[in-house]
Structures are given as structure tokens and as C-alpha cells.
Amino acid sequence: AQSVTQLDSQVPVFEEAPVELRCNYSSSVSVYLFWYVQYPNQGLQLLLKYLSGSTLVKGINGFEAEFNKSQTSFHLRKPSVHISDTAEYFCAVNGQAGTALIFGKGTTLSVSS
Amino acid sequence: EAGVTQFPSHSVIEKGQTVTLRCDPISGHDNLYWYRRVMGKEIKFLLHFVKESKQDESGMPNNRFLAERTGGTYSTLKVQPAELEDSGVYFCASSPAVFPYEQYFGPGTRLTVT
């Protein structure tokens, strides 16, 4: 069975600071990996995805993530955050395209000035 | 192009009552998914339609939940009778029938059972 662990439930940072949101997964098969973001009162929006190929994946709004197979991790990074990045971020995995996504519990990123 | 829409956005009902949630997927998307997030926990899969057929309903918690997808278009999720533990946010997502089957989510329906 697959599972996803987001190691931090809340991450407070100051504006323009770098941030890393951690995600580890467990799976006995190859996986597809995703990061979604949920802004207040909105639905989930896909930030980026890893399907295959280059382990460094770039997404929207300046975010990137690196797939590390040996450490079964898919950490999300941004070199300089903005107030508008305040949101909840979800790491997700599935073992076969088109099937159910398995989500982590989410990390709330709070950016203050 | 319109995104995934869900109705209602909020619903407050009493234990024992019935509630029906509706999801309208993106036009042309064959795949439709239902997920639920109970407060403080992760988003969990409920079921997956391909067109009007249930592809995977392994996440449905019990037989008080009934999902339908009429004509392969919109879907409804009925909870009857509702229990306190059914409270949470119900998300719908849809995806096209081509790789990578990216799932687009709706804003969710917040259900509160009192």
C-alpha cells in the first residue's frame, strides 16, 4: 500500500525567505508524485508533478520539487516566498495514472512580513 | 472553460437527515473522482467513475453513501442517513481520458452534521 507523510503540519516563514515543505512517500511500485495547493476558500490547484525523467520538477508560482528515489522523498521548495503563498500544501501520490490519489495530511505555509 | 463546480458550497444538516452533493466536471472529462477531508486528517479517496461506470469504489465508507453519475456527466453523492462522523469537506475532481490524467479539483462542499 502507498502512503504519504508530510513531516511538518505548519511552517511559518517571513516574506522573501526560502522555504522547503517536506514530503516522504512509501510505495512498492513506481509512483507519480504531485504537489497541490489550496488557497483559502478555493479548491486544490496543481502546483507541479513528477511523472518520469528529470528529477527536478518546476511548477507554477516559482515552486520546484526534487524527486529522490533512494530517500523516497519529494520535497517542495521556493527560494523566496511572498505573502500570497500563504496556503495549505498537499503532497500526493498514485501508482498508476488515472487512479486515486493518496494524500498527505497537508502543510500550512504562513508567510508574514 | 469552466472548472469543476460543486453544489452546495456549505450544508448544515441534523443527524439522521439526508443530503445530496452535486459535482459538475469539466466538459469532456470522462473520469470523475470523489474525495473527503475530515477535519484534521488527510484528504481520502471515496470513489472513481469512468463515464457513468464506477471504476473504483473502495474508499466508500459504508452503505449510507450512494454515488451516481447520470449519463456520464454530473455526479451526485447522497448521504442517507447522515451521521456526525460524516462531517467534512467533500471534494470532486475530474480528469481527461489521456495521460497523465491530471485531476482538476472543485472548491469542495463543506458538510456539517449536527
Side-chain angles (χ1 to χ4, degrees), chain B residues 55-99:
Chain B
Q55 179 76 14
D56 179 1
E57 52 185 328
S58 61
M60 294 288 265
N62 52 60
N63 59 10
R64 295 185 294 103
F65 288 74
L66 175 64
E68 295 180 326
R69 189 178 182 192
T70 306
T73 55
Y74 71 90
S75 174
T76 57
L77 180 64
K78 181 190 286 188
V79 185
Q80 180 182 31
E83 298 289 344
L84 298 178
E85 64 263 26
D86 300 332
S87 295
V89 181
Y90 290 76
F91 291 102
C92 175
S94 70
S95 76
V98 292
F99 185 84

Side-chain angles (χ1 to χ4, degrees), chain A residues 19-91:
Chain A
V19 71
E20 177 179 81
L21 306 184
R22 297 179 292 169
C23 172
N24 286 89
Y25 68 93
S26 66
S27 177
S28 58
V29 298
S30 297
V31 295
Y32 302 113
L33 294 153
F34 307 83
W35 275 99
Y36 282 85
V37 59
Q38 185 180 23
Y39 298 105
N41 302 314
Q42 295 186 29
L44 279 74
Q45 179 181 3
L46 183 66
L47 268 180
L48 48 78
K49 58 183 178 282
Y50 172 79
L51 304 176
S52 66
S54 173
T55 57
L56 183 62
V57 179
K58 294 190 181 296
I60 61 172
N61 301 339
F63 284 92
E64 63 181 32
E66 184 151 21
F67 169 57
N68 187 320
K69 188 174 182 178
S70 63
Q71 296 187 7
T72 60
S73 67
F74 191 54
H75 300 333
L76 181 71
R77 303 185 182 100
K78 186 169 182 178
S80 175
V81 294
H82 302 291
I83 298 284
S84 59
D85 293 322
T86 295
E88 191 163 19
Y89 292 78
F90 296 92
C91 182

Side-chain angles (χ1 to χ4, degrees), chain A residues 36 43-44 46 49 51 88 90 97-101 103-105, chain B residues 33 35 37 42-43 45 48 91 99-103 105-107:
Chain A
Y36 282 85
L44 279 74
L46 183 66
K49 58 183 178 282
L51 304 176
E88 191 163 19
F90 296 92
T99 61
L101 291 169
F103 284 89
K105 288 189 175 183
Chain B
Y33 312 79
Y35 294 86
R37 189 183 193 195
E42 64 269 30
I43 300 169
F45 167 76
H48 170 202
F91 291 102
F99 185 84
Y101 305 93
E102 180 177 328
Q103 295 185 29
F105 282 77

Side-chain angles (χ1 to χ4, degrees), chain B residues 8-62:
Chain B
S9 56
H10 294 85
S11 180
V12 181
I13 61 171
E14 293 183 354
K15 176 181 172 180
Q17 290 186 322
T18 297
V19 64
T20 300
L21 313 181
R22 174 171 170 143
C23 169
D24 286 80
I26 293 172
S27 178
H29 281 191
D30 286 345
N31 293 290
L32 188 149
Y33 312 79
W34 284 98
Y35 294 86
R36 176 175 74 172
R37 189 183 193 195
V38 172
M39 186 176 290
K41 301 206 171 180
E42 64 269 30
I43 300 169
K44 285 198 170 180
F45 167 76
L46 296 178
L47 86 159
H48 170 202
F49 284 99
V50 177
K51 297 185 180 178
E52 65 275 9
S53 300
K54 292 175 184 175
Q55 179 76 14
D56 179 1
E57 52 185 328
S58 61
M60 294 288 265
N62 52 60

